[in-house]
Amino acid sequence: MEEDNGQTRCSHFLESALWPRAMERKTLENDPQELERFKQEIDLVAYAQRQGYQIKSQGRRGDWHHLVNDGEHLIVSRKDQRQVYFNPGDDWDRGTIIDFVKTRENKNLGEVRQHLREYLDGSPYPQELPPPAPSRPGPLPPKQGHAAESPEEEERKRTRLIAEVLGVRKELSDRSYLHSRGLTDETIDSPAFQGRVFTSQRNNFRNTAFPLYNERGLASVEQKNKDYRSLLELPKDGIWVSFPTQGKGTPVERLVITESAIDAMSYHQLKHDGKNTMYIATAGTVTDRQTELIQKVIDKQQPREVILADDRDAAGRRYNINYLNDLQVARPFQPVADQEAYREATRPLHWHATLGRYHTHLRVDVQHQSFSEGTERVQPILRQVERINSTQEEPSIEVSIQRSTEKETVLRLSVARADTAQLEVLSQELYRQREQLRPVAERQPANFLRVDYPLAKDFNRDLELANQGLSAEQIRRQALLDEQEKEKQRVSPQPPKVDPEREKTPLPDPNEKSLSPSAHPFGDTPGQGAENQLLIRVEEQGKGADARGKAEAVQEALRRSGARVGELESSSDGNLRRSEMKVSYRTDQEEIGKISRTLDAVGSQKGNQVLEPEADRSARREIAGQRETRSPGQQELTR
């Protein structure tokens, strides 16, 4: 399509302009040389700094760097012409730029490729953008003969100046992307979002832009479009903040915190109940600086409640765990030596969660005046851990005491990432315990901080499914299907083979007013089996990559059970051998009982991990329980 006398191109132009590049990228999807290029050409330290990490120390020749972010420490060094990192707090969190992105962005390998192509080579959007200015322009001095500008005028001027540099228009001239995410014009036109969502255009490319602010004004801009997201190469020194839903300057009753502005607008469309609400989004990973800015918004707006509306995944739960520790009611202003300062509440308990590659870790610091008082304050935490572990088939929370002195006890609790919700339950208990230990005058109002999770992964997915006419229960079921599909894609990037004789159950018709539960709109047709896939990891000491040992025993036991087992992929790191194998089975196999018992036996052995969706695991155990098995799988592992 062509422009007509300066009129903007229609939204289809963007798709047509990107189509050839998309086809070109597809042909590169499995190019092994591309991964090697990423490892050799991308500066891991510079990339990590864009994600909020800061350099704490480094070698004189720059051959190693110590990075810190949100309580997490990384050591980056150089090995074989590439940078590698490791996390001293998580033995599994190590590797190259590929591992760094997979771990922290929760992406599969195909998504990592696309992400790093845009970072290294530049998609059409970043290539078109000019380099950022060394520093953000501050307010201009007033001209002689003119009165000083108000703070509002200064903010508008800063916004205009940076918008001109970045090519961001002052208005929202293209709503096509917002409409594609299920947002209505009524939502977009809410007073909350006026002047908080722009259209950016560089040459022929248009995106939807969300400005990030700090105390000094506009700090950065996040741009989004279909299959595209870009945050300017500036420090993550701002947050996206809406206006109150009843208009600028009105007293705020509620603050809602989300990971993305799209989720915030989706939350508004789904749940706004008339209360004067302000929305905040962090544009992904939450940094300490962003938490500080959120607290300053609370200090200024003094909301009655703060709703934590992050994604329903391990990262979102980690953010909420840390918000429970970090955020508090509006702090009283207390200037110190002519400097802005706030009176902080006492913290007899404080905690911080970090994510490893496979685990979530929670550090708990307990303050006390004596050893006996320390024991008294630690015991409720240990009893809560014991209660949670007692409800599991196997204990899921590991506890260790890292330090114990007369004045302080430090605990470290770890769970598999899939069990992060258990640490969140524990953090809520820590929150209640801390409130009881505080002086009455410092205690938070009841329900000041409240967690509100989406039914699916995030609130925009909830909105998408709700717009299809699905009920809350149907959204929950579809969310489970989404999770299973994502796990299968992670375990096996190749799409599974489909049995042509197997009839697929159609998704519910959004035009139908109701669905009978017996119709099974989500999942397999009753009476037919499903093919499930999973990944098994085996770790063993004192073995080289080519040696035979425990991993081969596991592989042979699974094959004898009737499961289909792929080839072993092993690597050796000093005296430690790590092996992986892909496993698949059908729930209607005659040997399902034996397969299920063998998988459980493998998972119970130290050093083994069975990475399987919880829904698949529960289903196979239930089916296996209804069938006779000839011998327990544990016998197959005895050598």
Side-chain angles (χ1 to χ4, degrees), residues 586-595 627-628 630:
R586 289 190 60 85
T587 56
D588 55 0
Q589 277 185 250
E590 182 179 352
E591 308 93 340
I592 185 62
K594 192 173 183 181
I595 292 172
R627 302 197 181 198
E628 294 183 358
R630 289 177 292 181

Side-chain angles (χ1 to χ4, degrees), residues 120-138:
L120 183 60
D121 299 332
S123 71
Y125 309 97
Q127 281 187 334
E128 300 290 343
L129 290 176
S135 61
R136 291 183 297 280

